[in-house]
Amino acid sequence: MKIEEEKACPVIANHIKIALVGQPNVGKSMLINSVSNAHLHVGNFSGVTVDKTEVLFDYKEYHFTVVDLPGTYAFTDYTIEERVTHEYLCAKGYDLIINVMDSTNLEKNLQLTSELMSMSKDIVIALNMSDEAQKEGIDIDASYMSELLGIPCVKVSAVTKEGIEELLDAVVSVRKASSQNSKLIFSEAVEEEIVNIVDYLTKHKYKAVNSYRNVSINLLKNNKRTYELLHAEPIWTELQPILVDASKHIELHHDTDDIKEAFAGEYASFNRGIIAEVVAQDAFEEKKTLTEKIDAVFIHPILGIPIFLFFMWGLFQLTFEIGSIPMDWIDAFFGWLGDTVGSTIQNEEVRSLIVDGIIAGVGAVILFVPNIVILFIGIALLESTGYMSRVAFLLDGFFHKFGMHGQSFIPLVTGFGCSIPAYMSARILKNDRDRLLTLFVIGFMSCGARLPVYVLFAGAFFSPEMAGNILFIIYISGVMIGLVAAKVLKMTAFQGADEPFVMEMPKYRFPSVKLIWHTVLTKTMMYLKKAGTFIAAASMLIWFLSNYPNNLALEKEFASKIEMAKSEDAKIELSNELASANLEQSYLGSIGKFSEPIFAPLGFDWKMSVALQTGLAAKEVVVSTLGVLYAVGNEVDEESNSLIDAISKNIPFASAIAFIVVIMIYLPCLAASIVFTREAGGIKYFIYLFVFTSLIAYGLGFLAYHIALVLT
């Protein structure tokens, strides 16, 4: 390494000023002093008695000034030394940070590193004591670590002077680059609140020295300096309640009332994720923690995935078996409610609107609330214990084969609950290509709104013992189809090398009853709110379209036939024939008949075609549509008054299989589609999604129908 002694870093062009940061005893002072012919200058930091050491030297055509800051375990300002480091790093008087780390104790050192990454400053990481790490059998993949963090990581040794030149070359490269995008990613709850605050600051065009993301993180961490700066701004009045709600949300997810403790957990999870990815150590006897013992089983290379699949199978078994218990009670309640309300209404059309439209439609959706609650509880349990993050790590290699990253697993699993938060949680993927790919695949994960359709058809065509297995097969099939679709998209529309990300590895913890209650209640109330508003309105619209226009001539003809009928059974049969004829001639019947030829190759009649089209508004409406359409005809009598019976008697098995396949794949609901369009970045992506999912749904539905015909 060529060092020119005669130039002692004059403050001119090509000058690089570096803040040297690290925890105590990581060898940072020794490291920078190992630069041959360097000039040391020792003084005091302004206003304090803490030594200020500056190292000046020239390397190639650059003049370096390195300020050796006091060691600090975390980015805090409790002691005088910590305050000096904190204030210096928050100022603008340097170009970049060299973060020196002890390679033999990487996880502990990463605590400071992850906090520095939230500052939006340029950083180079020096993995010091690499020679000692090698002796201890610790192997750090510095290259992969650089990719994961978005920060150059260089192995160095202050003792042997190994890697010093590479470190300075990395500093020069970072200095030349326009900007550095580190990849510090928090949990879904924190990222959601960061996005909310960033959106607010962007909307009000707040003038900040640092990035909006950095400002948002500091606000969430209760950083005094950031609060002081914003407190005098006019936007503070509106921003304060947003911050209060954000803190409550994050604290709830971490089961704590201390936001600092919550962020300490966030950083620790991020750090464990890095360690799991980049550090390999020779086996030696060591007392394992409880988390490590559990991980040895749950993320075992061979047993891990079967264990996860068993958990999911068990969840779907419980969803059907336990969820089916109160279904008869709910069905009976809405039957009683319809009869009771109907008997008080004299006008036949109003009675039909209330009973056959609103009560039948909304009741058909509420019937499946127990199933949805159980599914939400199961997913919340797996997430709150820390297990889902392990599955993301476990599936990383498997996902890479399909062009996706293990981090995509979190948005995909969220999609089992609802596609809307799933689309929003895809923001944790900072690479646009990976994020778009994940957005396109989320729709293949069956959301909670599709569950009622699955439960309805599984109950209609399979025994109760088999229904849980059928649900499991449907969900796993959706996942596999989604992964294949991801591979196709990766090979065509989203070509490019995979970009690695750090996946959080939080400690295992007992699930918080409060958090699970909050999560399940919020999602269930969202579902019920939809049933009480949107679906009720949709049911009224479907009722109107299925009852009008009135064919007076047809009704007059059947009225005379019914009057002349000799037996009560004959009168009932004629009444059912009239209802069916009226339905076919209604507006809804006309829509169904018009679209029926399109779906005929899939074995759908016009009623199924209509239900499929109303599902574009909301998947729950599929069930309420079927509830309205099949509430007439000779299949419904006092002995058989459930929708499940009506479905099993009126829809062929092969058509039902094709219907499930299409429901599983085609475009998500209107609200989710709007969120997808916003997150993807424009209407053109929605058009791509519509065409892509429609072609796959129709093609696989066609195959499923004809295969089912052959097998049955």
Side-chain angles (χ1 to χ4, degrees), residues 42-72:
V42 179
N44 287 334
F45 285 95
S46 178
V48 293
T49 57
V50 178
D51 285 345
K52 177 181 181 181
T53 302
E54 289 188 346
V55 179
L56 299 87
F57 62 88
D58 293 348
Y59 176 66
K60 295 183 178 178
E61 70 271 23
Y62 289 88
H63 313 290
F64 284 75
T65 299
V66 180
V67 180
D68 187 4
L69 296 173
T72 178

Short mmCIF file of all heavy atoms in Angstrom, two decimals, residues 42-72:
data_model
loop_
_atom_site.label_atom_id
_atom_site.label_comp_id
_atom_site.label_asym_id
_atom_site.label_seq_id
_atom_site.Cartn_x
_atom_site.Cartn_y
_atom_site.Cartn_z
N VAL A 42 -4.05 14.53 18.74
CA VAL A 42 -4.91 14.28 19.90
C VAL A 42 -5.32 15.61 20.52
O VAL A 42 -4.48 16.47 20.80
CB VAL A 42 -4.18 13.41 20.95
CG1 VAL A 42 -5.10 13.18 22.15
CG2 VAL A 42 -3.75 12.09 20.35
N GLY A 43 -6.60 15.80 20.73
CA GLY A 43 -7.13 17.00 21.38
C GLY A 43 -8.35 16.62 22.18
O GLY A 43 -8.50 15.48 22.60
N ASN A 44 -9.27 17.58 22.39
CA ASN A 44 -10.52 17.31 23.11
C ASN A 44 -11.71 17.68 22.22
O ASN A 44 -11.62 18.59 21.40
CB ASN A 44 -10.61 18.14 24.40
CG ASN A 44 -9.67 17.62 25.47
OD1 ASN A 44 -9.32 16.44 25.48
ND2 ASN A 44 -9.25 18.51 26.35
N PHE A 45 -12.82 16.94 22.42
CA PHE A 45 -14.06 17.33 21.78
C PHE A 45 -14.56 18.60 22.45
O PHE A 45 -14.35 18.81 23.65
CB PHE A 45 -15.11 16.22 21.88
CG PHE A 45 -14.85 15.07 20.95
CD1 PHE A 45 -14.17 13.94 21.38
CD2 PHE A 45 -15.29 15.12 19.63
CE1 PHE A 45 -13.95 12.88 20.53
CE2 PHE A 45 -15.06 14.07 18.77
CZ PHE A 45 -14.38 12.95 19.21
N SER A 46 -15.24 19.43 21.71
CA SER A 46 -15.67 20.74 22.19
C SER A 46 -16.55 20.61 23.43
O SER A 46 -17.55 19.90 23.43
CB SER A 46 -16.45 21.46 21.08
OG SER A 46 -16.91 22.70 21.53
N GLY A 47 -16.14 21.31 24.49
CA GLY A 47 -16.96 21.41 25.70
C GLY A 47 -16.82 20.26 26.67
O GLY A 47 -17.44 20.27 27.72
N VAL A 48 -16.04 19.21 26.33
CA VAL A 48 -15.89 18.06 27.23
C VAL A 48 -14.41 17.69 27.32
O VAL A 48 -13.58 18.15 26.54
CB VAL A 48 -16.71 16.84 26.73
CG1 VAL A 48 -18.18 17.11 26.80
CG2 VAL A 48 -16.30 16.47 25.30
N THR A 49 -14.11 16.84 28.29
CA THR A 49 -12.72 16.43 28.50
C THR A 49 -12.40 15.10 27.82
O THR A 49 -11.38 14.48 28.11
CB THR A 49 -12.45 16.30 30.00
OG1 THR A 49 -13.37 15.36 30.56
CG2 THR A 49 -12.60 17.64 30.70
N VAL A 50 -13.27 14.66 26.93
CA VAL A 50 -13.05 13.40 26.22
C VAL A 50 -12.02 13.63 25.11
O VAL A 50 -12.11 14.60 24.35
CB VAL A 50 -14.38 12.88 25.61
CG1 VAL A 50 -14.13 11.60 24.83
CG2 VAL A 50 -15.41 12.67 26.71
N ASP A 51 -11.05 12.72 25.05
CA ASP A 51 -10.02 12.84 24.03
C ASP A 51 -10.60 12.74 22.62
O ASP A 51 -11.49 11.92 22.36
CB ASP A 51 -8.96 11.74 24.20
CG ASP A 51 -8.04 12.01 25.38
OD1 ASP A 51 -8.05 13.15 25.87
OD2 ASP A 51 -7.34 11.08 25.81
N LYS A 52 -10.07 13.58 21.74
CA LYS A 52 -10.47 13.55 20.33
C LYS A 52 -9.21 13.21 19.52
O LYS A 52 -8.30 14.03 19.40
CB LYS A 52 -11.03 14.90 19.89
CG LYS A 52 -11.40 14.95 18.41
CD LYS A 52 -11.93 16.34 18.04
CE LYS A 52 -12.33 16.41 16.58
NZ LYS A 52 -12.81 17.75 16.20
N THR A 53 -9.18 11.98 18.97
CA THR A 53 -8.03 11.54 18.20
C THR A 53 -8.35 11.62 16.72
O THR A 53 -9.35 11.05 16.27
CB THR A 53 -7.65 10.09 18.57
OG1 THR A 53 -7.39 10.02 19.97
CG2 THR A 53 -6.43 9.63 17.79
N GLU A 54 -7.51 12.31 15.99
CA GLU A 54 -7.65 12.39 14.54
C GLU A 54 -6.42 11.76 13.88
O GLU A 54 -5.29 11.99 14.32
CB GLU A 54 -7.80 13.84 14.08
CG GLU A 54 -9.13 14.47 14.44
CD GLU A 54 -9.31 15.85 13.81
OE1 GLU A 54 -8.31 16.40 13.32
OE2 GLU A 54 -10.44 16.36 13.81
N VAL A 55 -6.66 10.97 12.85
CA VAL A 55 -5.58 10.34 12.11
C VAL A 55 -5.61 10.90 10.69
O VAL A 55 -6.66 10.89 10.04
CB VAL A 55 -5.74 8.81 12.09
CG1 VAL A 55 -4.61 8.17 11.29
CG2 VAL A 55 -5.76 8.26 13.51
N LEU A 56 -4.47 11.41 10.23
CA LEU A 56 -4.39 12.02 8.90
C LEU A 56 -3.40 11.26 8.03
O LEU A 56 -2.29 10.95 8.48
CB LEU A 56 -3.95 13.49 9.01
CG LEU A 56 -4.87 14.44 9.81
CD1 LEU A 56 -4.53 14.42 11.29
CD2 LEU A 56 -4.77 15.85 9.26
N PHE A 57 -3.81 10.94 6.82
CA PHE A 57 -2.91 10.27 5.89
C PHE A 57 -3.44 10.42 4.48
O PHE A 57 -4.59 10.84 4.26
CB PHE A 57 -2.74 8.78 6.25
CG PHE A 57 -4.03 7.99 6.19
CD1 PHE A 57 -4.46 7.39 5.01
CD2 PHE A 57 -4.83 7.86 7.33
CE1 PHE A 57 -5.63 6.67 4.96
CE2 PHE A 57 -6.02 7.15 7.28
CZ PHE A 57 -6.42 6.54 6.09
N ASP A 58 -2.58 10.10 3.51
CA ASP A 58 -2.97 10.12 2.09
C ASP A 58 -2.97 8.70 1.55
O ASP A 58 -2.13 7.87 1.93
CB ASP A 58 -1.98 10.95 1.27
CG ASP A 58 -2.03 12.43 1.63
OD1 ASP A 58 -2.99 12.81 2.33
OD2 ASP A 58 -1.12 13.17 1.22
N TYR A 59 -3.94 8.43 0.72
CA TYR A 59 -3.99 7.12 0.05
C TYR A 59 -4.40 7.35 -1.40
O TYR A 59 -5.46 7.92 -1.67
CB TYR A 59 -4.99 6.20 0.75
CG TYR A 59 -5.18 4.87 0.06
CD1 TYR A 59 -4.14 3.95 -0.01
CD2 TYR A 59 -6.40 4.54 -0.54
CE1 TYR A 59 -4.30 2.73 -0.64
CE2 TYR A 59 -6.58 3.33 -1.18
CZ TYR A 59 -5.53 2.43 -1.23
OH TYR A 59 -5.69 1.23 -1.87
N LYS A 60 -3.54 6.91 -2.31
CA LYS A 60 -3.75 7.19 -3.73
C LYS A 60 -3.90 8.71 -3.89
O LYS A 60 -3.09 9.46 -3.38
CB LYS A 60 -4.92 6.39 -4.28
CG LYS A 60 -4.67 4.87 -4.26
CD LYS A 60 -5.80 4.07 -4.86
CE LYS A 60 -5.47 2.59 -4.85
NZ LYS A 60 -6.55 1.74 -5.38
N GLU A 61 -4.93 9.17 -4.58
CA GLU A 61 -5.05 10.62 -4.78
C GLU A 61 -5.96 11.28 -3.74
O GLU A 61 -6.38 12.43 -3.89
CB GLU A 61 -5.56 10.93 -6.19
CG GLU A 61 -7.02 10.56 -6.44
CD GLU A 61 -7.20 9.14 -6.94
OE1 GLU A 61 -6.30 8.30 -6.68
OE2 GLU A 61 -8.23 8.86 -7.56
N TYR A 62 -6.29 10.54 -2.65
CA TYR A 62 -7.22 11.07 -1.64
C TYR A 62 -6.50 11.41 -0.34
O TYR A 62 -5.53 10.76 0.06
CB TYR A 62 -8.33 10.05 -1.37
CG TYR A 62 -9.29 9.91 -2.52
CD1 TYR A 62 -9.05 9.00 -3.55
CD2 TYR A 62 -10.43 10.70 -2.60
CE1 TYR A 62 -9.92 8.88 -4.63
CE2 TYR A 62 -11.31 10.59 -3.67
CZ TYR A 62 -11.05 9.69 -4.68
OH TYR A 62 -11.91 9.59 -5.73
N HIS A 63 -7.01 12.43 0.33
CA HIS A 63 -6.50 12.88 1.62
C HIS A 63 -7.54 12.51 2.69
O HIS A 63 -8.69 12.94 2.61
CB HIS A 63 -6.27 14.39 1.62
CG HIS A 63 -5.52 14.86 0.41
ND1 HIS A 63 -4.20 14.58 0.20
CD2 HIS A 63 -5.94 15.59 -0.67
CE1 HIS A 63 -3.81 15.12 -0.95
NE2 HIS A 63 -4.85 15.72 -1.50
N PHE A 64 -7.11 11.73 3.67
CA PHE A 64 -8.02 11.19 4.67
C PHE A 64 -7.85 11.89 6.02
O PHE A 64 -6.72 12.14 6.46
CB PHE A 64 -7.77 9.69 4.88
CG PHE A 64 -8.28 8.81 3.78
CD1 PHE A 64 -7.63 8.72 2.56
CD2 PHE A 64 -9.43 8.06 3.98
CE1 PHE A 64 -8.11 7.91 1.55
CE2 PHE A 64 -9.91 7.23 2.98
CZ PHE A 64 -9.25 7.16 1.76
N THR A 65 -8.99 12.18 6.65
CA THR A 65 -9.01 12.56 8.06
C THR A 65 -9.97 11.60 8.76
O THR A 65 -11.15 11.52 8.39
CB THR A 65 -9.51 14.00 8.27
OG1 THR A 65 -8.63 14.89 7.60
CG2 THR A 65 -9.54 14.34 9.76
N VAL A 66 -9.45 10.85 9.72
CA VAL A 66 -10.28 9.88 10.43
C VAL A 66 -10.42 10.33 11.88
O VAL A 66 -9.42 10.50 12.60
CB VAL A 66 -9.66 8.46 10.39
CG1 VAL A 66 -10.55 7.48 11.14
CG2 VAL A 66 -9.46 8.02 8.95
N VAL A 67 -11.66 10.58 12.31
CA VAL A 67 -11.94 10.99 13.69
C VAL A 67 -12.34 9.75 14.48
O VAL A 67 -13.37 9.12 14.20
CB VAL A 67 -13.07 12.04 13.74
CG1 VAL A 67 -13.34 12.45 15.18
CG2 VAL A 67 -12.71 13.25 12.90
N ASP A 68 -11.50 9.37 15.43
CA ASP A 68 -11.73 8.17 16.24
C ASP A 68 -12.68 8.53 17.39
O ASP A 68 -12.28 9.15 18.37
CB ASP A 68 -10.40 7.66 16.78
CG ASP A 68 -10.55 6.32 17.50
OD1 ASP A 68 -11.66 5.78 17.51
OD2 ASP A 68 -9.54 5.83 18.04
N LEU A 69 -13.94 8.14 17.24
CA LEU A 69 -14.96 8.49 18.24
C LEU A 69 -14.92 7.53 19.42
O LEU A 69 -14.54 6.36 19.27
CB LEU A 69 -16.35 8.46 17.59
CG LEU A 69 -16.59 9.49 16.48
CD1 LEU A 69 -17.93 9.25 15.81
CD2 LEU A 69 -16.52 10.91 17.03
N PRO A 70 -15.33 8.00 20.61
CA PRO A 70 -15.35 7.12 21.79
C PRO A 70 -16.23 5.89 21.54
O PRO A 70 -17.27 5.98 20.87
CB PRO A 70 -15.96 8.01 22.89
CG PRO A 70 -15.69 9.41 22.44
CD PRO A 70 -15.75 9.37 20.94
N GLY A 71 -15.80 4.76 22.09
CA GLY A 71 -16.58 3.53 21.92
C GLY A 71 -17.94 3.62 22.58
O GLY A 71 -18.09 4.20 23.66
N THR A 72 -18.96 3.05 21.92
CA THR A 72 -20.32 3.06 22.47
C THR A 72 -21.02 1.77 22.08
O THR A 72 -20.89 1.29 20.95
CB THR A 72 -21.12 4.28 21.96
OG1 THR A 72 -22.45 4.23 22.46
CG2 THR A 72 -21.17 4.32 20.44
#
